[in-house]
Amino acid sequence: GSGSTADGVTGPPPPVASGSTIHLSITNNHFSPSRDSVEAGSTLTWTWNTCTGDGYGGTSCGSHSVQFDNQGPNSGIQSSGTFSRTFADTGTFTYHCAVHGAAMSGTITVH
């Protein structure tokens, strides 16, 4: 989630309680939210929401992954499903899609 100040300026999201599960979404070419701040011990779950109608009654699903830059575990390249990771250590964890590279990336800050 993201936070905002009284003047409407969006700032970093507030930390969540340790041991919480935070849900993120993977859409076509985008992680949502792309930046999150969590407490150590939190589990993040990414859900693939990449399928769209093709206009002819069919469905097309894009393939993406959650690939951490500094250390795993990582998800495989997939077009549906979920991937979860628990963050025990503090630090900044950057990640990207193995298919789309830096054009589709995110950051998790663990406090």
Side-chain angles (χ1 to χ4, degrees), residues 49 61 64 81 101:
N49 294 306
C61 301
H64 303 283

Side-chain angles (χ1 to χ4, degrees), residues 19-100:
S20 295
T21 299
I22 296 92
H23 297 276
L24 298 99
S25 181
I26 300 173
T27 58
N28 286 320
N29 305 323
H30 186 73
F31 295 109
S32 180
S34 61
R35 300 181 67 81
D36 214 337
S37 179
V38 301
E39 291 292 325
S42 297
T43 299
L44 277 71
T45 298
W46 286 262
T47 300
W48 273 250
N49 294 306
T50 63
C51 297
T52 58
D54 65 6
Y56 300 99
T59 302
S60 173
C61 301
S63 294
H64 303 283
S65 71
V66 178
Q67 180 80 34
F68 284 89
D69 299 341
N70 48 356
Q71 58 190 6
N74 301 300
S75 78
I77 296 173
Q78 57 197 65
S79 60
S80 63
T82 63
F83 167 72
S84 295
R85 178 174 172 179
T86 300
F87 291 84
D89 298 322
T90 60
T92 300
F93 300 85
T94 55
Y95 62 97
H96 64 277
C97 172
V99 175
H100 297 96

